[in-house]
Amino acid sequence: MRVRKLIVLSAAFISFCCMPVLSYADQVHRVLPGETLSGIARQHGITTDSLLGNNQYISYPDMIYAGQVLIIPTENKQAYQVKPGDTLYRIAQDFEISMATLADVNQIVDRDRIYSGQILSIPKVYTVKTGDTLYRIARSLGMNMSDLAVENGLKNPDKLFVGQALIIPVQSSREETLADIEREMSPTVARFPDTLFYKGYPDGRRAVALTFDDGPDKKATSEVLDLLKMYRVPATFFLVGSNVARNGDMIKRIIAEGHTVASHTWSHPDLRTLTDAQLINEMTQLENEIQRITGLRTALMRPPYGFVSDSNLQKLREMGYKVIKWSVDTNDWRDQDVDKVLINTMPDIRDGAIILMHDYLQKSVTKEALPEMIQSLRWQGYTFVTVDELLGVNAYQ
Ligand SMILES: [Zn+2]
């Protein structure tokens, strides 16, 4: 017992001591009647650009609506409001950064023209020392080398010079950002372009797809269906086999109300650990059950946990499946807090987003977060479609 306690304690200590320095939480701002984007930005001490950057789903900056959700980014702790008599030179000196960097970051063309009340972003800067490499700097800052290169527009990461000021990108408090997902997914998508999808390419049409995993469940799924009906939003449900047999009515309702039914395997295993025969069994067992209830055989599948190997993808392609991952992870199963779910979700929304949610939890904030997500997106011109419609593929075989 004692040994175990010690291990737990040291683990807690390690995770505490190594937290990134920039660990303030993002926060949710719910627009009040009469508020404007610039007013909200000012109120939180950030620039309008930085507010828009974190809320790229805003299509019409001049038309924000009361009740709409905005996510105030972490970086607001690094802003400075210009006071009467300030000069760019003095501010740069105070924060120990170069005037060029400060002007660059804030897109200031005329360095003599800053005005009282203006919000300036104050970047964190690392000054390159003798013997530094980008790799070593990134490691010491606990961040990704490519993030650092991109932030500083470095075309050749080997060409650093001593005294060079590198801007340290602000790390989001969200664990997995859109950039991480894209970096991870792109190579596999390139190998299986006709089979593996994690987002749609809707050609300028503002469309997103809500997806619900691990149901159906009598209580959770019917609550979600009630909401979707109320807002007239179609969605895609990735069903798990063990829940299917005893929830035939729910599956019929899902289809009757205009949603798409898809496969999430029979027993929710890590597909990478299965033989081809086991994989086929996982798929066909569920298909047979869905067909018995609905007369349909699904053509979309989502691998449990998102884990899928190249050999899985080959087999699934042979079987006629489109493999669907996601570009936005709400983490609604983990974060029992509406604001956290919104913070996980809204900043990653883009045209064609596939949004991952769940409909098996007995106590969940999914149904509280959904109305705010739907309304906020709709007010900015988004429509909701099923995954098959988003991708322009067939839902059934
Ligand atoms: Zn799942």
Side-chain angles (χ1 to χ4, degrees):
M1 282 312 272
R2 182 176 283 263
V3 172
R4 189 190 267 172
K5 204 177 227 171
L6 199 66
I7 290 168
V8 169
L9 269 176
S10 60
F13 174 70
I14 287 166
S15 62
F16 175 73
C17 86
C18 302
M19 292 256 279
V21 185
L22 302 161
S23 62
Y24 327 108
D26 290 5
Q27 56 183 116
V28 173
H29 180 101
R30 292 175 173 84
V31 176
L32 298 171
E35 281 188 322
T36 61
L37 268 184
S38 56
I40 294 165
R42 207 174 312 122
Q43 181 186 331
H44 291 279
I46 57 175
T47 62
T48 310
D49 278 353
S50 126
L51 181 58
L52 279 171
N54 206 45
N55 294 274
Q56 292 189 31
Y57 82 94
I58 299 288
S59 326
Y60 315 114
D62 296 335
M63 299 208 304
I64 56 166
Y65 292 85
Q68 190 163 339
V69 165
L70 295 170
I71 309 302
I72 308 300
T74 305
E75 61 199 291
N76 58 11
K77 306 296 191 288
Q78 298 180 93
Y80 176 80
Q81 187 164 25
V82 176
K83 294 178 182 56
D86 271 345
T87 62
L88 204 61
Y89 176 75
R90 172 73 65 78
I91 298 167
Q93 262 197 335
D94 283 354
F95 287 100
E96 296 178 337
I97 54 178
S98 80
M99 193 158 76
T101 305
L102 186 59
D104 243 31
V105 164
N106 292 283
Q107 293 167 0
I108 294 171
V109 184
D110 182 349
R111 294 180 187 179
D112 294 328
R113 281 220 180 147
I114 54 169
Y115 55 89
S116 178
Q118 185 175 1
I119 306 286
L120 297 178
S121 299
I122 308 296
K124 293 212 179 232
V125 165
Y126 177 88
T127 309
V128 176
K129 297 176 186 57
T130 317
D132 271 347
T133 63
L134 197 65
Y135 173 75
R136 203 174 296 165
I137 296 167
R139 252 188 67 167
S140 76
L141 296 170
M143 64 177 44
N144 205 296
M145 197 164 84
S146 68
D147 287 346
L148 200 54
V150 168
E151 178 76 37
N152 291 281
L154 300 177
K155 294 215 172 59
N156 184 352
D158 296 333
K159 285 202 173 148
L160 296 177
F161 56 89
V162 175
Q164 184 174 1
L166 295 178
I167 294 170
I168 304 171
V170 175
Q171 292 185 311
S172 170
S173 58
R174 288 174 296 133
E175 286 156 36
E176 197 177 38
T177 64
L178 192 60
D180 295 330
I181 290 178
E182 296 200 330
R183 196 166 26 239
E184 186 199 318
M185 294 292 305
S186 301
T188 327
V189 169
R191 285 198 298 280
F192 295 91
D194 57 340
T195 303
L196 179 62
F197 300 88
Y198 69 102
K199 63 177 180 182
Y201 305 90
D203 284 335
R205 195 169 53 121
R206 293 198 163 277
V208 295
L210 294 177
T211 64
F212 295 90
D213 283 16
D214 302 339
D217 173 87
K218 276 203 167 48
K219 179 168 171 280
T221 306
S222 58
E223 284 171 351
V224 167
L225 285 172
D226 289 348
L227 273 173
L228 296 177
K229 192 176 192 176
M230 187 157 85
Y231 288 98
R232 300 207 177 122
V233 165
T236 304
F237 290 80
F238 290 91
L239 313 179
V240 171
S242 37
N243 300 331
V244 163
R246 52 194 154 88
N247 287 299
D249 288 351
M250 198 65 73
I251 294 166
K252 285 180 187 152
R253 183 181 166 197
I254 292 174
I255 291 171
E257 297 186 355
H259 309 292
T260 293
V261 156
S263 167
H264 196 35
T265 74
W266 181 260
S267 67
H268 208 275
D270 177 347
L271 298 185
R272 301 170 304 179
T273 66
L274 304 187
T275 63
D276 275 359
Q278 288 170 321
L279 174 63
I280 293 170
N281 189 46
E282 279 289 334
M283 299 307 297
T284 47
Q285 210 179 336
L286 178 58
E287 287 311 338
N288 293 342
E289 193 62 30
I290 292 178
Q291 188 169 33
R292 188 181 64 77
I293 296 164
T294 66
L296 299 166
R297 288 186 86 80
T298 69
L300 307 179
M301 74 82 61
R302 174 169 281 160
Y305 320 102
F307 296 155
V308 66
S309 67
D310 277 20
S311 114
N312 294 152
L313 285 165
Q314 268 159 29
K315 196 78 224 163
L316 290 162
R317 177 164 63 188
E318 281 168 31
M319 297 174 81
Y321 286 105
K322 305 291 184 203
V323 177
I324 313 297
K325 300 215 335 181
W326 56 86
S327 60
V328 180
D329 190 349
T330 62
N331 271 308
D332 60 339
W333 59 275
R334 183 196 65 195
D335 292 334
Q336 292 301 301
D337 179 277
V338 181
D339 282 12
K340 276 199 190 129
V341 169
L342 292 169
I343 289 165
N344 299 337
T345 306
M346 300 310 285
D348 285 345
I349 300 277
R350 303 285 185 278
D351 295 0
I354 297 179
I355 303 167
L356 171 64
M357 308 187 89
H358 296 85
D359 64 327
Y360 73 97
L361 300 154
Q362 295 311 296
K363 261 188 67 183
S364 107
V365 295
T366 309
K367 59 177 187 289
E368 291 166 58
L370 261 178
E372 290 197 287
M373 278 173 48
I374 293 172
Q375 290 284 35
S376 298
L377 290 172
R378 221 171 229 168
W379 281 325
Q380 291 299 321
Y382 279 88
T383 56
F384 293 84
V385 294
T386 55
V387 167
D388 43 297
E389 197 187 329
L390 182 72
L391 301 177
V393 300
N394 291 328
Y396 304 105
Q397 306 218 13

